[in-house]
Amino acid sequence: MFLSEESDQFELPVHETGFTREELEELLSFLESNEPVSPNSGSEVSTRAVSFLEPNDPASPNYGSEGSTRAVYSADERKKRRMISNRESAKRSRWRKKMHLENITDEVNRLSIENQQLKHRLSSVMNQYHIVWRENQVLRSESVALWAKLLKLHWSLATMQPR
């Protein structure tokens, strides 16, 4: 066995784990044998071993699973748990998709309103531009007429003066 061969070189940290030397040897034998450990196997040590393995421990059979349950599950139980997990994941995914769609719809509505406001503002500015442009045209016409009058007066004045 692994432990008996290296017992001189390796001292188990019994005081840190709370397991006795015999319990640790049994735990290591389960781990070396690759046999599934079930909490219903009747062994007190195997139950303690399963509860000892943390869910965040890569050596744990439940590594990465949610919840604080530390038991090893049968294939059917794992399948059922996975199915439930997948359903919950799909439900969360549908909820996220719905929220995303609502956010996009709100954004479209907000941008449509802003677009309408900008169109209205552009229309108002264009109307003001046309009004000012017409006034400018009238003033240019008056300016040309006044220049023509001034030129006529200048010619009249020039012809009245003796040479």
Side-chain angles (χ1 to χ4, degrees), residues 6 8 23 25 52 60 62 70 81-83 90-92 126 136 140 145 149:
E6 297 183 11
D8 297 333
E23 291 172 334
E25 286 176 1
F52 169 71
S60 171
N62 293 325
R70 296 181 181 142
R81 287 172 56 87
R82 191 73 207 140
M83 192 182 330
K91 185 178 181 180
R92 287 189 304 269
M126 290 297 289
N136 193 22
R140 283 185 186 180
K149 237 183 198 181

Side-chain angles (χ1 to χ4, degrees), residues 51-58 60 62-70:
S51 66
F52 169 71
L53 295 172
E54 296 292 330
N56 294 331
D57 180 10
S60 171
N62 293 325
Y63 177 66
S65 66
E66 294 181 10
S68 62
T69 57
R70 296 181 181 142

